[in-house]
Amino acid sequence: MRALIGRIAASACYWLPATLLVAVASNQLRLVETASLSPWSGGGFGMFSSIDSPGHRHLHAFVLNDDIRREVAWPRDMKETVLRATTLPTPQRLAALATELARLESGGPIRWDAIELQVWTVDYQPDGLSPSGRLVVKERFDLAPR
Amino acid sequence: MHLADRSLFARAAPAGSLVIDLGLRLTLLDLLLRPVGDWALRPLILGLAAVALLRPRWLHQPLLWLALAGLTGARVMLDWPLADNHAYLLSYWCLAVSLALMSRDAHKPLAFNGRVLVGLVFLFACVWKFVGSDNYLDGTFFQVTLLTDPRFEGFSQVAGGLDAQTYQALSEFVGLHRDAVPPLDGSGVELPQRFVWLTWAATGWNLFINAALAIAFLWPPGRGPGHLRHALLLIYCTITYAVATVDGFGWLLLAMGAAQCSVEQRRTRLAYVAVFILIIFYREVPWAESVFLPLLAGPVVN
């Protein structure tokens, strides 16, 4: 057993880097399927193969109560946070983003019950390139009552 | 090879005698010409790269390359999930160099890793282009990318035969969309034929060259398509990075290719250096905007 471990360790210079590449790239394929990761990201070498790049994704955020639904504008300094969340829109990332956006909207005269985040990408018709938005993920987060 | 023969802390051998030196130096030049990392990591990466390039004894120090692997890997994790693909490849490569330098004969494992890593990169690229993307094979990807990515504006105008006005109009058209509203039938735009041919040519070329590189680099070396790998990689880098200004990736691929060369392959090693320098010119000379577009526009008459 020790001899086997020794041989594996000694040969690591041959197998370890490639194994890491395959593991990360395979995980990227999984995340694209299961977590809507943009194919351009995640170390899967999908850049320049799909229109669904982080730059083509965008976020719409709405605060809601029983009567009103209003879109939220976020400040420039949240640009990177929004980019990370739209590139890999997992429930956890969207929840963290929702918390930050809700904090921006709190303290005003209107009491909001929930915040809804929608991540969109852009599709193009092959014939004529007509663009249209396609919903990638939509999540609603209830806000704690004040 | 035996790890016990060289440890992380072994005294580095004088540089210049190892055939892999060119690959190592090109990697370090890549790190210096295209610095990576945030304000915390970048000075460390630049410092290590500069020291290794300037002090030959450090060039073969496994610990230095392991530190570079760790720092470039940290950069990927801190940037998650935004890091470009070559950020990952850079980290794998620095790790491969470190492990190779710990072995008795550094050239064999490093050449193996250079070949297999490049092959796997293009294999996964093929998976995405041939199977994973629903808008690559029909040319839509390049039609949209050439009109929306500002890096390709000059190339699109020169090679696609678009004047500035037409480019602007098409770019604005594809840049507008409405969410949740399907496009009306017949609402598309008619693309100039030469531009469409350009996108088909780009699609076909990239499908061919990515597949050829994957096959050539993963084929056993010295047999069949394996003989063509250096030529294919040099052609790929010469053409691709004239258009797609992702110079860091090109330099890294060239460094990995150079590390596979034997002592006898002098002309091949020179070719890798020449294309490395060519990509520097591509970066510094906006050939499409500054050279070809004015030539095509003709003399200005006052």
Side-chain angles (χ1 to χ4, degrees):
Chain A
M1 186 66 175
R2 284 176 73 177
L4 176 64
I5 292 171
R7 277 203 297 276
I8 292 172
S11 63
C13 60
Y14 282 93
W15 58 262
L16 185 57
T19 302
L20 280 173
L21 185 154
V22 171
V24 170
S26 300
N27 186 51
Q28 188 255 10
L29 289 168
R30 182 187 68 84
L31 287 174
V32 169
E33 273 305 301
T34 62
S36 301
L37 174 67
S38 165
W40 280 56
S41 300
F45 301 99
M47 280 178 91
F48 291 104
S49 64
S50 167
I51 293 170
D52 186 18
S53 65
H56 271 100
R57 289 193 176 184
H58 52 284
L59 179 79
H60 291 288
F62 302 91
V63 283
L64 322 162
N65 61 26
D66 286 340
D67 304 312
I68 309 171
R69 177 187 177 90
R70 197 186 79 194
E71 185 154 6
V72 174
W74 57 87
R76 275 188 159 201
D77 58 11
M78 283 188 68
K79 188 179 169 191
E80 187 165 311
T81 307
V82 171
L83 182 61
R84 286 177 197 259
T86 52
T87 299
L88 179 57
T90 59
Q92 297 79 9
R93 282 178 183 270
L94 292 179
L97 181 59
T99 303
E100 264 192 78
L101 290 171
R103 199 164 38 237
L104 290 175
E105 292 294 313
S106 66
I110 303 175
R111 185 181 63 84
W112 302 108
D113 297 331
I115 184 165
E116 182 179 287
L117 300 185
Q118 299 174 359
V119 177
W120 292 78
T121 188
V122 184
D123 283 342
Y124 297 86
Q125 284 196 327
D127 189 20
L129 293 188
S130 292
S132 62
R134 171 171 55 86
L135 184 65
V136 176
V137 149
K138 182 166 81 173
E139 292 273 357
R140 178 189 161 121
F141 302 94
D142 292 326
L143 299 174
R146 277 191 283 178
Chain B
M1 77 308 307
H2 300 280
L3 281 180
D5 292 345
R6 292 198 61 171
S7 72
L8 276 175
F9 304 101
R11 212 168 170 78
S17 56
L18 294 187
V19 71
I20 63 171
D21 281 6
L22 178 61
L24 303 190
R25 290 200 166 100
L26 291 180
T27 305
L28 297 169
L29 270 177
D30 179 15
L31 288 168
L32 291 171
L33 288 170
R34 180 55 74 185
V36 299
D38 63 9
W39 64 268
L41 295 175
R42 187 173 293 201
L44 295 171
I45 296 171
L46 284 173
L48 287 173
V51 160
L53 205 52
L54 294 171
R55 291 186 64 92
R57 293 186 73 82
W58 285 88
L59 186 64
H60 300 145
Q61 175 55 261
L63 186 58
L64 182 141
W65 286 95
L66 192 64
L68 283 173
L71 290 169
T72 52
R75 171 229 180 173
V76 168
M77 288 192 281
L78 289 170
D79 278 352
W80 175 260
L82 301 179
D84 287 347
N85 287 325
H86 62 279
Y88 296 79
L89 184 62
L90 179 61
S91 191
Y92 306 143
W93 178 240
C94 291
L95 177 64
V97 173
S98 173
L99 293 172
L101 290 173
M102 283 188 243
S103 63
R104 191 197 293 273
D105 175 6
H107 183 237
K108 278 192 194 141
L110 194 64
F112 175 84
N113 275 297
R115 184 174 65 77
V116 170
L117 289 175
V118 171
L120 288 172
V121 162
F122 287 101
L123 179 65
F124 277 98
C126 281
V127 167
W128 275 108
K129 288 173 169 65
F130 281 95
V131 180
S133 172
D134 55 6
N135 46 54
Y136 195 88
L137 292 178
D138 64 6
T140 305
F141 169 77
F142 271 110
Q143 289 173 5
V144 172
T145 301
L146 292 183
L147 292 174
T148 55
D149 192 327
R151 294 175 292 183
F152 298 113
E153 181 174 345
F155 173 72
S156 299
Q157 291 186 45
V158 170
L162 303 175
D163 59 53
Q165 223 171 346
T166 307
Y167 181 87
Q168 180 77 8
L170 290 173
S171 189
E172 280 173 9
F173 175 80
V174 297
L176 292 173
H177 70 276
R178 292 180 64 190
D179 293 330
V181 176
L184 295 169
D185 286 339
S187 61
V189 69
E190 181 139 356
L191 297 172
Q193 192 58 53
R194 179 168 151 183
F195 179 76
V196 174
W197 287 338
L198 172 65
T199 59
W200 286 346
T203 301
W205 164 251
N206 276 280
L207 288 171
F208 163 75
I209 194 66
N210 275 254
L213 283 163
I215 292 168
F217 275 81
L218 292 176
W219 205 272
R223 292 185 237 171
H227 285 299
L228 298 174
R229 68 185 195 279
H230 291 301
L232 286 170
L233 185 60
L234 289 163
I235 290 169
Y236 172 81
C237 291
T238 301
I239 294 175
T240 300
Y241 299 104
V243 179
T245 51
V246 193
D247 35 53
F249 205 162
W251 288 326
L252 181 57
L253 290 173
L254 292 169
M256 295 169 74
Q260 300 170 50
C261 294
S262 62
V263 173
E264 296 78 24
Q265 291 175 299
R266 188 165 172 271
R267 277 195 282 191
T268 307
R269 285 185 285 134
L270 278 174
Y272 276 112
V273 173
V275 178
F276 193 102
I277 294 170
L278 185 63
I279 294 180
I280 297 175
F281 278 105
Y282 288 157
R283 182 173 86 160
E284 298 302 322
V285 179
W287 57 270
E289 293 86 356
S290 302
V291 177
F292 283 97
L293 277 177
L295 277 176
L296 290 170
V300 174
V301 177
N302 291 318

